Amino acid sequence: MLLAFATARVAAPRLFAAVAAEARRRIDELHSRDMVDMLWAFSCVAWAQKEIFSELGSRVAERFDELSKVSKSQLFLVTLYVKTTWPDLDFAPCAHVESCQSAYVESEPNPSRLQRDVSVALERMSWSHRFNHETDEGFSLDLAEPASKAAIEVDPPSHYLKDAVSNQYVLNGATLFKSRLARDHGWQVARVAFYEWDGKSDAARR
């Protein structure tokens, strides 16, 4: 449930608070995958109560060998959020950050045709950049100029939800979470959306 709310960018503080309280009460009954899902959802909405991270994190670390690559990939982004938000917090999964980072890198999708097309257009405009740049922190950016910490993220349809009222595309929670992490680490991030690119003239794309 929390994953759906976090992905849909639905602000539900009472729900998140209730789940956090229940998770702490019934922590011995939780599956390791469910605890990682909770940690990811809390990170995605920038949950500010660190106690739930500390408690769930300790249990996840104890059962780290049970985690799938998907859960480890999620946990990598959680560790970045925790280290940025509470640098002094003893977050047990940080001991496994290299394994989590490897899972995250493996889970990243192959570059899309859209991403390659945007890269070519930028090269023609003399914007020197790195394609699929991996930052010092370990997350990837589609197109980046490391010296100035400027990046462009290229967003396919899977990065969006459709607003039921306005019928407009809105970025999903997972995409915004990654962008927030990039900004927290000093990157300036601009975006190119698929609907701003597909079917447009070269001049419009420039």
Side-chain angles (χ1 to χ4, degrees), residues 3 6 9 11 17 60 69 75 78 88 98 114 125 134 144 146 157 168-170 185-186 192 195-196:
L3 282 178
R9 302 168 50 185
V60 166
K69 286 186 177 180
L75 194 56
V78 173
D88 298 326
E98 291 184 3
L114 173 62
M125 297 169 63
E134 184 176 318
Q168 299 295 310
Y169 287 105
V170 292
H185 288 89
V192 174
Y195 58 83
E196 297 174 320

Side-chain angles (χ1 to χ4, degrees), residues 176-187:
L176 290 178
F177 176 31
K178 180 185 172 184
S179 290
R180 193 176 77 241
L181 286 174
R183 290 195 302 272
D184 288 345
H185 288 89
W187 287 88

Side-chain angles (χ1 to χ4, degrees), residues 101-129:
Q101 183 175 342
S102 295
Y104 170 79
V105 172
E106 289 180 19
S107 71
E108 282 290 273
N110 292 325
S112 65
R113 171 73 176 274
L114 173 62
Q115 187 177 336
R116 295 183 188 280
D117 285 349
V118 174
S119 178
V120 170
L122 288 167
E123 287 174 353
R124 290 173 178 168
M125 297 169 63
S126 300
W127 191 63
S128 178
H129 60 277

Side-chain angles (χ1 to χ4, degrees), residues 58-116:
S58 293
R59 295 304 179 96
V60 166
E62 291 171 0
R63 298 158 62 180
F64 186 79
D65 291 340
E66 299 176 7
L67 299 181
S68 67
K69 286 186 177 180
V70 172
S71 291
K72 289 179 181 179
S73 177
Q74 289 177 297
L75 194 56
F76 175 63
L77 295 181
V78 173
T79 61
L80 291 182
Y81 170 73
V82 170
K83 287 193 293 185
T84 302
T85 309
W86 304 291
D88 298 326
L89 181 66
D90 183 16
F91 188 59
C94 288
H96 302 281
V97 68
E98 291 184 3
S99 178
C100 291
Q101 183 175 342
S102 295
Y104 170 79
V105 172
E106 289 180 19
S107 71
E108 282 290 273
N110 292 325
S112 65
R113 171 73 176 274
L114 173 62
Q115 187 177 336
R116 295 183 188 280

